[in-house]
Amino acid sequence: MPRLEDEIRRLMEGETARLHAAPDLLDRVMRLRRARRARVKTAMVTASVLASVTVVAAPAVYLATAAQRATPSTQATTSATLEPAIDDTPPVRTEPKNLGDLGDGLAFGHVKVGYLPEGLRWSTWSIDHGDAYSTSYNYKGDEKGLYRVQIFMFEEEAVKEITERIQRYREEKDGEDVMIGDRSGYLVVQHVGEDGMAGSPTLFLKMGDRQWAEITFSPVYAKEFSGAEAVNTELRKIAKGLTSTM
Protein backbone atom coordinates (compact mmCIF):
# COMPACT_ATOMS: atom_id res chain seq x y z
CA MET A 1 0.00 0.00 0.00
CA PRO A 2 1.39 3.49 -0.84
CA ARG A 3 3.03 5.39 1.94
CA LEU A 4 1.14 8.26 3.55
CA GLU A 5 3.41 10.94 2.12
CA ASP A 6 3.03 9.51 -1.41
CA GLU A 7 -0.76 9.74 -1.17
CA ILE A 8 -0.52 13.28 0.23
CA ARG A 9 1.69 14.29 -2.69
CA ARG A 10 -0.66 12.70 -5.23
CA LEU A 11 -3.69 14.50 -3.78
CA MET A 12 -1.92 17.84 -3.84
CA GLU A 13 -0.68 17.44 -7.41
CA GLY A 14 -4.18 16.55 -8.47
CA GLU A 15 -5.48 19.89 -7.14
CA THR A 16 -2.60 21.75 -8.81
CA ALA A 17 0.82 22.33 -7.35
CA ARG A 18 -0.17 25.66 -5.78
CA LEU A 19 -3.14 24.33 -3.89
CA HIS A 20 -2.33 23.36 -0.33
CA ALA A 21 -4.45 20.54 1.00
CA ALA A 22 -7.17 21.63 3.42
CA PRO A 23 -7.00 20.90 7.16
CA ASP A 24 -8.91 17.66 6.57
CA LEU A 25 -6.14 16.30 4.32
CA LEU A 26 -5.18 13.46 6.64
CA ASP A 27 -8.80 12.43 6.98
CA ARG A 28 -9.18 12.40 3.20
CA VAL A 29 -6.06 10.27 2.78
CA MET A 30 -7.36 7.72 5.26
CA ARG A 31 -10.80 7.71 3.62
CA LEU A 32 -9.07 7.12 0.28
CA ARG A 33 -7.18 4.19 1.77
CA ARG A 34 -10.37 2.70 3.21
CA ALA A 35 -12.17 3.11 -0.14
CA ARG A 36 -9.28 1.42 -1.92
CA ARG A 37 -9.33 -1.49 0.51
CA ALA A 38 -13.11 -1.76 -0.01
CA ARG A 39 -12.69 -1.95 -3.77
CA VAL A 40 -10.05 -4.64 -3.40
CA LYS A 41 -12.30 -6.65 -1.06
CA THR A 42 -15.23 -6.30 -3.46
CA ALA A 43 -13.12 -7.44 -6.39
CA MET A 44 -11.89 -10.46 -4.42
CA VAL A 45 -15.44 -11.45 -3.47
CA THR A 46 -16.64 -11.07 -7.06
CA ALA A 47 -13.72 -13.11 -8.41
CA SER A 48 -14.40 -15.84 -5.87
CA VAL A 49 -18.10 -16.03 -6.80
CA LEU A 50 -17.33 -16.15 -10.51
CA ALA A 51 -14.79 -18.89 -9.98
CA SER A 52 -17.31 -20.93 -8.02
CA VAL A 53 -19.95 -20.49 -10.72
CA THR A 54 -17.48 -21.65 -13.37
CA VAL A 55 -16.58 -24.79 -11.44
CA VAL A 56 -20.14 -25.85 -10.63
CA ALA A 57 -21.79 -24.56 -13.83
CA ALA A 58 -25.11 -26.27 -14.56
CA PRO A 59 -27.99 -25.94 -17.05
CA ALA A 60 -30.07 -22.81 -16.68
CA VAL A 61 -33.20 -24.83 -15.88
CA TYR A 62 -31.53 -26.50 -12.94
CA LEU A 63 -30.24 -23.18 -11.58
CA ALA A 64 -33.72 -21.63 -11.81
CA THR A 65 -35.26 -24.60 -10.00
CA ALA A 66 -32.58 -24.49 -7.29
CA ALA A 67 -33.20 -20.79 -6.76
CA GLN A 68 -36.93 -21.38 -6.33
CA ARG A 69 -36.27 -24.10 -3.77
CA ALA A 70 -33.84 -21.95 -1.74
CA THR A 71 -35.01 -21.43 1.81
CA PRO A 72 -35.06 -17.90 3.34
CA SER A 73 -32.05 -18.76 5.48
CA THR A 74 -30.11 -19.91 2.40
CA GLN A 75 -30.99 -16.72 0.52
CA ALA A 76 -29.90 -14.60 3.47
CA THR A 77 -26.59 -16.43 3.63
CA THR A 78 -26.01 -15.96 -0.10
CA SER A 79 -26.86 -12.26 0.14
CA ALA A 80 -24.47 -11.79 3.03
CA THR A 81 -21.71 -13.57 1.11
CA LEU A 82 -22.10 -11.34 -1.94
CA GLU A 83 -22.39 -8.09 0.02
CA PRO A 84 -19.24 -5.98 -0.62
CA ALA A 85 -17.15 -5.49 2.49
CA ILE A 86 -17.09 -1.68 2.48
CA ASP A 87 -15.67 0.22 5.41
CA ASP A 88 -17.48 3.55 5.24
CA THR A 89 -17.03 4.43 8.89
CA PRO A 90 -16.24 8.17 9.15
CA PRO A 91 -12.89 9.21 10.66
CA VAL A 92 -12.96 9.09 14.44
CA ARG A 93 -11.42 11.81 16.54
CA THR A 94 -8.21 10.68 18.16
CA GLU A 95 -8.42 9.83 21.83
CA PRO A 96 -6.20 12.16 23.88
CA LYS A 97 -3.89 9.35 24.95
CA ASN A 98 -2.90 8.73 21.31
CA LEU A 99 -1.39 12.19 20.92
CA GLY A 100 -0.10 12.72 24.40
CA ASP A 101 -1.27 15.33 26.91
CA LEU A 102 -4.26 16.95 25.23
CA GLY A 103 -5.91 18.06 28.45
CA ASP A 104 -5.61 21.63 27.22
CA GLY A 105 -4.22 20.89 23.76
CA LEU A 106 -0.89 22.54 24.51
CA ALA A 107 1.13 19.32 24.38
CA PHE A 108 0.56 16.73 21.67
CA GLY A 109 2.70 14.20 19.90
CA HIS A 110 6.29 15.40 20.12
CA VAL A 111 5.64 19.11 20.56
CA LYS A 112 4.58 21.61 23.21
CA VAL A 113 2.72 24.83 22.41
CA GLY A 114 3.89 27.80 24.45
CA TYR A 115 1.77 30.56 22.89
CA LEU A 116 -1.70 30.95 21.38
CA PRO A 117 -3.42 34.18 20.31
CA GLU A 118 -5.80 35.59 22.90
CA GLY A 119 -9.15 33.84 23.18
CA LEU A 120 -8.18 30.61 21.46
CA ARG A 121 -8.48 27.23 23.12
CA TRP A 122 -8.06 23.61 22.03
CA SER A 123 -10.91 22.55 19.74
CA THR A 124 -10.76 18.98 21.18
CA TRP A 125 -10.09 17.75 17.62
CA SER A 126 -6.91 15.91 16.76
CA ILE A 127 -5.76 13.28 14.32
CA ASP A 128 -2.77 10.97 14.44
CA HIS A 129 -1.32 8.93 11.58
CA GLY A 130 2.12 8.25 12.94
CA ASP A 131 4.66 10.54 11.32
CA ALA A 132 2.00 13.11 10.35
CA TYR A 133 -0.46 14.43 12.92
CA SER A 134 -2.37 17.57 13.74
CA THR A 135 -4.61 19.46 16.14
CA SER A 136 -6.46 22.77 15.98
CA TYR A 137 -7.65 25.68 18.10
CA ASN A 138 -10.77 27.84 17.98
CA TYR A 139 -12.94 30.12 20.11
CA LYS A 140 -15.26 28.85 22.79
CA GLY A 141 -18.65 28.42 21.15
CA ASP A 142 -17.31 27.93 17.63
CA GLU A 143 -19.15 25.37 15.55
CA LYS A 144 -17.86 21.82 15.67
CA GLY A 145 -14.99 21.40 13.25
CA LEU A 146 -14.39 25.14 12.70
CA TYR A 147 -10.72 26.01 13.17
CA ARG A 148 -8.93 29.32 13.64
CA VAL A 149 -5.38 28.02 14.01
CA GLN A 150 -4.17 24.56 13.04
CA ILE A 151 -0.80 23.01 13.74
CA PHE A 152 0.41 20.14 11.57
CA MET A 153 3.46 18.12 12.58
CA PHE A 154 5.56 16.19 10.07
CA GLU A 155 8.26 13.82 11.25
CA GLU A 156 10.70 11.27 9.84
CA GLU A 157 9.61 10.23 6.32
CA ALA A 158 6.79 12.79 6.21
CA VAL A 159 9.34 15.64 6.40
CA LYS A 160 10.08 15.12 2.71
CA GLU A 161 6.58 16.31 1.77
CA ILE A 162 7.13 19.62 3.57
CA THR A 163 10.57 20.31 2.13
CA GLU A 164 9.34 19.57 -1.39
CA ARG A 165 6.35 21.86 -0.95
CA ILE A 166 8.55 24.69 0.32
CA GLN A 167 10.90 24.19 -2.63
CA ARG A 168 7.98 24.63 -5.04
CA TYR A 169 7.06 27.91 -3.33
CA ARG A 170 10.66 29.08 -3.66
CA GLU A 171 10.73 28.23 -7.35
CA GLU A 172 7.49 30.15 -7.86
CA LYS A 173 8.89 33.06 -5.82
CA ASP A 174 5.88 32.77 -3.55
CA GLY A 175 6.55 33.49 0.13
CA GLU A 176 9.84 34.12 1.89
CA ASP A 177 12.47 32.44 4.04
CA VAL A 178 12.45 33.62 7.65
CA MET A 179 14.31 32.99 10.88
CA ILE A 180 12.51 32.32 14.15
CA GLY A 181 15.25 32.72 16.71
CA ASP A 182 17.88 30.24 15.57
CA ARG A 183 15.42 28.12 13.60
CA SER A 184 14.69 28.51 9.91
CA GLY A 185 11.23 28.74 8.45
CA TYR A 186 9.15 29.75 5.46
CA LEU A 187 6.29 32.22 5.45
CA VAL A 188 3.64 32.05 2.73
CA VAL A 189 -0.07 32.44 2.04
CA GLN A 190 -1.26 29.06 0.85
CA HIS A 191 -4.17 29.01 -1.54
CA VAL A 192 -6.68 26.48 -0.26
CA GLY A 193 -9.29 25.79 -2.92
CA GLU A 194 -11.93 24.64 -0.44
CA ASP A 195 -12.04 27.96 1.37
CA GLY A 196 -12.70 30.03 -1.74
CA MET A 197 -11.12 33.01 0.00
CA ALA A 198 -7.85 34.92 -0.01
CA GLY A 199 -5.82 31.98 1.30
CA SER A 200 -4.38 30.61 4.52
CA PRO A 201 -1.39 32.44 6.05
CA THR A 202 1.13 29.76 6.97
CA LEU A 203 4.49 29.52 8.67
CA PHE A 204 6.60 26.40 8.20
CA LEU A 205 9.13 25.88 10.98
CA LYS A 206 12.10 23.53 10.97
CA MET A 207 12.29 22.12 14.47
CA GLY A 208 14.97 19.59 13.64
CA ASP A 209 16.27 17.42 10.83
CA ARG A 210 13.46 14.94 11.51
CA GLN A 211 10.67 17.33 12.47
CA TRP A 212 8.83 20.25 10.87
CA ALA A 213 5.80 22.20 12.02
CA GLU A 214 3.22 23.88 9.81
CA ILE A 215 1.20 26.62 11.52
CA THR A 216 -1.86 27.74 9.58
CA PHE A 217 -4.45 30.50 10.09
CA SER A 218 -7.84 29.99 8.51
CA PRO A 219 -8.75 32.76 6.03
CA VAL A 220 -11.70 33.65 8.28
CA TYR A 221 -9.46 34.09 11.30
CA ALA A 222 -6.87 36.08 9.32
CA LYS A 223 -9.55 38.68 8.49
CA GLU A 224 -9.84 39.50 12.20
CA PHE A 225 -6.41 41.13 12.13
CA SER A 226 -5.48 44.56 10.80
CA GLY A 227 -3.39 43.17 7.97
CA ALA A 228 -0.73 40.71 6.83
CA GLU A 229 1.92 42.14 9.15
CA ALA A 230 -0.26 41.59 12.22
CA VAL A 231 -1.05 38.03 11.10
CA ASN A 232 2.61 37.26 10.50
CA THR A 233 3.50 38.61 13.94
CA GLU A 234 1.09 36.13 15.54
CA LEU A 235 2.38 33.27 13.40
CA ARG A 236 5.92 34.07 14.51
CA LYS A 237 4.87 34.12 18.17
CA ILE A 238 3.26 30.70 17.90
CA ALA A 239 6.34 29.33 16.10
CA LYS A 240 8.69 30.80 18.69
CA GLY A 241 6.69 29.11 21.45
CA LEU A 242 6.84 25.63 19.92
CA THR A 243 9.17 23.22 21.71
CA SER A 244 10.16 19.82 20.38
CA THR A 245 10.09 16.82 22.72
CA MET A 246 11.70 14.38 20.24
Side-chain angles (χ1 to χ4, degrees):
M1 182 172 293
R3 295 180 304 176
L4 176 62
E5 61 269 23
D6 294 333
E7 295 202 33
I8 291 175
R9 189 175 304 108
R10 189 181 63 74
L11 280 172
M12 291 179 60
E13 290 175 353
E15 296 178 0
T16 76
R18 286 178 58 84
L19 290 181
H20 167 52
D24 68 344
L25 170 62
L26 297 179
D27 281 337
R28 288 195 285 136
V29 168
M30 297 310 293
R31 286 198 296 270
L32 179 63
R33 283 185 170 181
R34 282 196 295 272
R36 179 173 297 153
R37 287 198 296 268
R39 290 194 295 272
V40 170
K41 290 179 182 177
T42 302
M44 291 175 64
V45 170
T46 303
S48 176
V49 172
L50 290 176
S52 300
V53 171
T54 301
V55 172
V56 299
V61 173
Y62 173 79
L63 291 178
T65 302
Q68 291 175 352
R69 292 177 179 175
T71 64
S73 60
T74 302
Q75 292 174 337
T77 301
T78 303
S79 176
T81 302
L82 298 179
E83 184 71 21
I86 299 176
D87 179 7
D88 58 357
T89 304
V92 178
R93 290 187 178 188
T94 306
E95 292 297 327
K97 64 181 180 181
N98 292 339
L99 271 179
D101 177 17
L102 283 177
D104 56 8
L106 298 182
F108 65 101
H110 300 118
V111 65
K112 290 184 178 180
V113 180
Y115 172 83
L116 284 176
E118 185 177 357
L120 295 190
R121 53 87 194 254
W122 183 43
S123 68
T124 73
W125 176 91
S126 65
I127 190 167
D128 181 9
H129 294 306
D131 56 4
Y133 54 94
S134 176
T135 196
S136 64
Y137 306 89
N138 59 13
Y139 290 126
K140 183 177 180 179
D142 276 342
E143 295 180 9
K144 181 179 179 180
L146 182 64
Y147 82 104
R148 304 290 174 164
V149 171
Q150 183 152 10
I151 299 177
F152 295 85
M153 296 303 300
F154 297 85
E155 298 171 354
E156 305 298 348
E157 292 297 319
V159 165
K160 183 179 179 181
E161 189 272 324
I162 286 293
T163 55
E164 289 181 350
R165 183 142 42 105
I166 291 175
Q167 183 57 35
R168 286 198 295 270
Y169 284 129
R170 287 196 180 106
E171 292 172 355
E172 296 169 359
K173 301 188 184 315
D174 191 2
E176 61 178 321
D177 288 286
V178 297
M179 291 298 296
I180 307 298
D182 60 352
R183 299 185 293 192
S184 61
Y186 200 84
L187 193 60
V188 66
V189 175
Q190 301 193 97
H191 301 283
V192 183
E194 286 84 346
D195 289 319
M197 300 181 71
S200 302
T202 301
L203 176 57
F204 297 100
L205 178 68
K206 183 178 182 180
M207 301 183 66
D209 291 337
R210 299 180 296 121
Q211 185 184 48
W212 277 77
E214 177 182 350
I215 309 161
T216 299
F217 275 28
S218 72
V220 172
Y221 185 53
K223 290 174 64 176
E224 296 182 15
F225 294 84
S226 59
E229 185 175 348
V231 170
N232 292 343
T233 296
E234 290 299 299
L235 284 171
R236 288 172 176 270
K237 287 181 179 179
I238 296 174
K240 186 176 181 179
L242 292 184
T243 303
S244 175
T245 58
M246 287 188 68

